Amino acid sequence: WGGFVISSNNYKVFYSGDTSYGKHFKMIGEQYGPFDLSLLEVGTYEPRYIMARSHMNPEEAVMAHLDLLSNQSIGMHLKTFQLSDERYNQPIEDLEKAKDQLGVINFRALDFGERIEL
C-alpha cells in the first residue's frame, strides 16, 4: 500500500504506508537498512480480525521498527479521523506499552503541529 525508501548519501528514511506486520520488514531492514528514520503506522487497527491484513497495531509497529534496524521511528496514521474501533488516544497508549514491553525508547508519535529536529 505505498511503502518506500528514501535515501541520500547521508540519510535513509523508510515510509511504511498501510501494511500488515510480517517478515517483509526484516527483509527490508537487511537489504536497505539500517534506517535513520522510519515512519510507521500505529493507528486504525481494531478490530484485528478485519484490520490485521492491512494495518499494524502499535506493538507490531515497534517490532517493525526493530526489524528495520531503525535509529528512530515516528508513528503515523492516527488522531485524524475515527476510522476504526480503537479509542482516539488508544494508539498512543498502546505504543507506550509496546515500547516498554520491547525495550524501545526511540519511537514516538507527534502531536498536531509538533516539530522535531532530526
Side-chain angles (χ1 to χ4, degrees):
W1 291 61
F4 50 83
V5 173
I6 302 170
S7 66
S8 70
N9 291 335
N10 300 320
Y11 211 74
K12 280 192 210 175
V13 175
F14 176 76
Y15 171 80
S16 71
D18 288 350
T19 185
S20 60
Y21 178 74
K23 62 183 176 182
H24 55 280
F25 286 110
K26 189 168 276 298
M27 293 167 57
I28 292 166
E30 289 170 358
Q31 185 168 353
Y32 299 104
F35 291 98
D36 298 292
L37 175 66
S38 292
L39 303 167
L40 302 169
E41 60 173 313
V42 298
T44 311
Y45 54 90
E46 293 291 345
R48 293 308 293 151
Y49 74 93
I50 295 172
M51 299 305 227
R53 290 183 169 176
S54 58
H55 290 224
M56 292 187 286
N57 64 28
E59 181 179 7
E60 292 167 331
V62 174
M63 292 186 311
H65 161 86
L66 295 170
D67 290 348
L68 291 163
L69 309 172
S70 190
N71 183 45
Q72 63 181 315
S73 291
I74 295 175
M76 58 175 192
H77 205 287
L78 71 156
K79 294 177 72 171
T80 304
F81 303 103
Q82 186 70 35
L83 297 173
S84 59
D85 289 351
E86 72 268 4
R87 293 181 331 276
Y88 184 74
N89 283 322
Q90 188 174 346
I92 303 293
E93 296 165 15
D94 289 348
L95 178 60
E96 292 304 314
K97 288 178 194 171
K99 287 170 38 182
D100 287 345
Q101 289 173 340
L102 296 169
V104 169
I105 58 170
N106 51 347
F107 192 138
R108 63 180 296 190
L110 302 177
D111 288 329
F112 287 112
E114 183 177 358
R115 179 178 177 221
I116 60 170
E117 199 155 321
L118 302 172

